[in-house]
Amino acid sequence: TEIALDLLKNEGSDFDLIDVGSGKGKTLLVWSKLMKLSQNKIYGVEYSEDLLAICKNNIRGIDKSDISLINADASEINASLFKAKLLLYLYNPFDALILKKFLTKLHEKSVVLIYNNPVHSDVLDKMGYEKIYINDSWHPSGRFTIYKSLGYL
């Protein structure tokens, strides 16, 4: 996350952070701490109502004014909710078809994307995303790639 944040901060601070498939909210908590003094909005998008309820409980003890939770299918999300620049985090939350639908909705946005356990990296390659950082590991949790969108400003 810090590598991607450094890239975005060097280019201004007007961007949203979105954890797609936010589950129990760990990434949201980390981001909230990292971005404590910023004006950036943090979004958690989660399809499962059960996981979203756990996430709400987990973030209850912190100042969550910067966090918004969205219970939705990522492929149906309204991209106009978000700023023009985005930092996305995906821990391989869905299959290639939904990934493509979701990214297609963001085609007008400037995106930096952290893809943990990048099983469907071919989708990003075919959509013109550029790999800007690769961390390889023997364990799926340690393997991630950071991309930027084709039209990144």
Side-chain angles (χ1 to χ4, degrees), residues 119-130:
V119 174
H120 305 293
S121 59
D122 59 313
V123 172
L124 286 104
D125 295 338
K126 290 176 186 173
M127 293 183 76
Y129 279 74
E130 177 187 345

Side-chain angles (χ1 to χ4, degrees), residues 16 43 77-84 86 105-106 108-109:
D16 287 333
Y43 294 90
I77 199 96
N78 179 357
S80 67
L81 294 170
F82 312 121
K83 293 180 180 174
L86 303 174
K105 291 202 168 267
L106 302 177
E108 294 183 7
K109 307 283 186 181

